Amino acid sequence: MKKLLLMLFLLIFLTGCTAVRINTKSIDNIVSVILSKENTLYNTIGKGYKYYVPRGVVYIDSNEYNEKLYCNGDYYYLYLDIISYYYKKDFTYKENKDLYYSKSIDMNNKKGYLEITKMDDKYYLIEFMYNYAKIEALVTEDKINEVVLNATYILSTVKYNDNVIKLVLDEDYFTNKEEKYNIFKSTNNSTSFELEYTEIKEEE
């Protein structure tokens, strides 16, 4: 009995935030349950930020504040907008009932949105922005809830280091760099995902 209790305790301790009971069949429930709880876990550190990559998700590559992750055959693209975070840029999101899913998020004094666009009978573009970070993924319908679950865990754990970000900005890190990405704006059929979508269709 003692061994069983010890194993259960270790399972809860080692899995961290994944120990929370979540109805993964409901997108609304996934988002509300995970974002409602303060999560301090992290296992990935960048210049001025850190976040937690859930079990099963693999870190692939990073280019400045754009990161590429992989899970179960799908790529996730994570963007961190440290400039908007540092200057506390505000934004508004208008829900679109014509999309597969569209919802504005305002929890724990952090704003965002989750938008899922149906590309065709097979592929869906997920755009999830929260706390000045955004994840995008192009997946089949059966993977939507899995991606939303992983993306919610990742975005809920993003923490910024104000001192490091201030140093980065003071060093004029973005001098002569064009701002090519706006996480506050829905991309829908963005250039990068149009290319990926086209490549996938050609391979079929």
Side-chain angles (χ1 to χ4, degrees):
M1 185 65 179
K2 289 183 178 180
K3 287 184 178 180
L4 179 60
L5 290 173
L6 179 60
M7 289 177 65
L8 287 172
F9 174 78
L10 288 174
L11 179 64
I12 293 172
F13 177 76
L14 292 175
T15 54
C17 65
T18 57
V20 177
R21 292 187 65 184
I22 302 172
N23 174 12
T24 56
K25 294 181 180 180
S26 167
I27 294 177
D28 287 338
N29 190 67
I30 291 172
V31 174
S32 63
V33 170
I34 297 177
L35 294 186
S36 66
K37 300 182 180 298
E38 185 67 24
N39 195 336
T40 59
L41 291 176
Y42 69 91
N43 53 18
T44 304
I45 301 175
K47 188 180 289 186
Y49 64 91
K50 60 185 179 182
Y51 63 92
Y52 177 72
V53 176
R55 185 175 301 173
V57 180
V58 181
Y59 172 88
I60 298 295
D61 193 17
S62 176
N63 180 15
E64 294 176 356
Y65 291 92
N66 303 324
E67 310 212 334
K68 188 175 183 180
L69 308 171
Y70 176 84
C71 178
N72 196 20
D74 299 307
Y75 289 102
Y76 303 176
Y77 298 90
L78 170 64
Y79 310 90
L80 299 111
D81 189 348
I82 65 166
I83 296 178
S84 294
Y85 163 78
Y86 188 76
Y87 292 106
K88 299 298 183 287
K89 179 180 177 182
D90 197 10
F91 83 107
T92 57
Y93 174 77
K94 185 176 181 180
E95 296 180 358
N96 185 348
K97 295 181 179 179
D98 294 329
L99 298 180
Y100 179 87
Y101 186 93
S102 175
K103 187 168 185 177
S104 177
I105 299 171
D106 189 350
M107 299 182 69
N108 296 322
N109 297 316
K110 299 170 185 175
K111 294 183 178 182
Y113 66 88
L114 174 56
E115 186 173 283
I116 303 175
T117 303
K118 187 174 183 179
M119 305 291 285
D120 58 18
D121 291 336
K122 186 175 182 180
Y123 292 102
Y124 294 76
L125 174 61
I126 297 175
E127 302 177 60
F128 195 164
M129 197 283 281
Y130 181 73
N131 190 27
Y132 301 99
K134 184 177 184 180
I135 288 179
E136 291 187 352
L138 184 67
V139 300
T140 52
E141 186 173 11
D142 60 307
K143 297 284 193 68
I144 289 176
N145 286 30
E146 177 188 51
V147 174
V148 170
L149 179 67
N150 287 330
T152 309
Y153 274 129
I154 293 170
L155 295 176
S156 71
T157 60
V158 173
K159 299 290 186 301
Y160 298 97
N161 186 316
D162 290 359
N163 293 329
V164 173
I165 292 175
K166 185 176 186 303
L167 286 174
V168 169
L169 297 180
D170 284 349
E171 290 172 357
D172 210 11
Y173 184 76
F174 289 93
T175 298
N176 297 324
K177 290 182 179 289
E178 295 181 7
E179 187 176 349
K180 298 180 180 180
Y181 197 83
N182 180 1
I183 67 169
F184 298 113
K185 184 178 180 182
S186 166
T187 57
N188 276 326
N189 301 335
S190 62
T191 303
S192 59
F193 278 92
E194 278 185 341
L195 178 60
E196 181 180 339
Y197 176 68
T198 301
E199 290 174 347
I200 291 173
K201 296 298 290 183
E202 288 177 349
E203 291 174 359
E204 292 182 341

